[in-house]
Amino acid sequence: MDSTDRPEIEIRGLHKAFGDNQVLRGIDLDIARGEVVCVIGPSGSGKSTLLRCVNLLEEPTAGQVFVGGTEVTDLDVDIDAVRRRIGMVFQQFNLFPHVSVTENLTLPQRRVLGRGKEQAAEVARRNLERVGLSDKAGAYPSQLSGGQQQRVAIARALSMGPEVMLFDEPTSALDPELVGDVLSVMRQLAAEGMTMMVVTHEMSFAREVADRVVFMDGGVIVEEGPAEQVVGDPQQPRTRDFLMRILDPAAAEPPHGAEPPGPAKEL
Ligand SMILES: Nc1ncnc2c1ncn2[C@@H]1O[C@H](COP(=O)(O)OP(=O)(O)OP(=O)(O)O)[C@@H](O)[C@H]1O
Ligand SMILES: [Mg+2]
């Protein structure tokens, strides 16, 4: 199918239920090639489920998802082929603990893509350089900081040559001083033209990097638009409430005073 004039990701009438729990209740969203879309919203609103439906880690109850013009929700689709085109980075880095950083990058290439040892190593080398970790090639994950492990996880995903990258709160498990390096790598990826869907509570990143911000609540998209509009001048009361809590947790709390404002990412 000719995919050149279609959005890179198309989500149509997506529903997902877990038993009686209707988690996604009709999501429609297009993401153009090279576009960066940040998805924000309260805990339990369905953000992770939405990402997981895009690469079929969850099977939608109804609706369609197309990636690069291919319907991934088609029952006859080659799921492995679809997943090869979609890189995913999770809050927990999910590195293999018992092998080196380089092997974390080469093993999936060899197993899934059938690349030879030399080629896989060369791709790994290039992607470690991309995330600024060339000097950690021989280290084990346990010898790295959380931020470095997350950058390895990004390099691992990139080594598979994905067309799109999905990020699910990639900095939420990190100490605040380690967040910046991971966001820099993501900023650079965006600048290089990668299509990205990013669930995040990092509002400054969303404002600076996202072409569009989508606010979800209760399994629907409540509001979407350019970052400066949705984050800077939200129209919907639910969006305003959420942002107020994220951007200024203290202001949204009843005034019992003693509690310091927690980091927004924990909300
Ligand atoms: N595998 C599952 N089985 C059953 N219920 C699930 C499963 N995954 C998610 N849910 C439910 O779906 C709802 C939405 O979960 P989801 O993880 O998508 O929310 P979220 O917006 O990512 O929240 P958070 O900000 O806390 O990560 C929750 O009620 C959750 O309990
Ligand atoms: Mg989540």
Side-chain angles (χ1 to χ4, degrees), residues 170-171 179-188 200 202 204-205:
T171 59
V179 167
D181 288 340
V182 172
L183 293 181
S184 302
V185 166
M186 293 170 63
R187 197 176 287 123
Q188 173 196 323
T200 185
E202 297 288 342
S204 54
F205 176 83

Side-chain angles (χ1 to χ4, degrees), residues 18 21 23 41-50 58 168-169 201:
F18 295 103
N21 188 5
V23 173
S43 183
S45 56
K47 305 178 300 293
S48 295
T49 304
L50 175 61
E58 298 292 352
D168 194 354
E169 300 202 37
H201 288 179

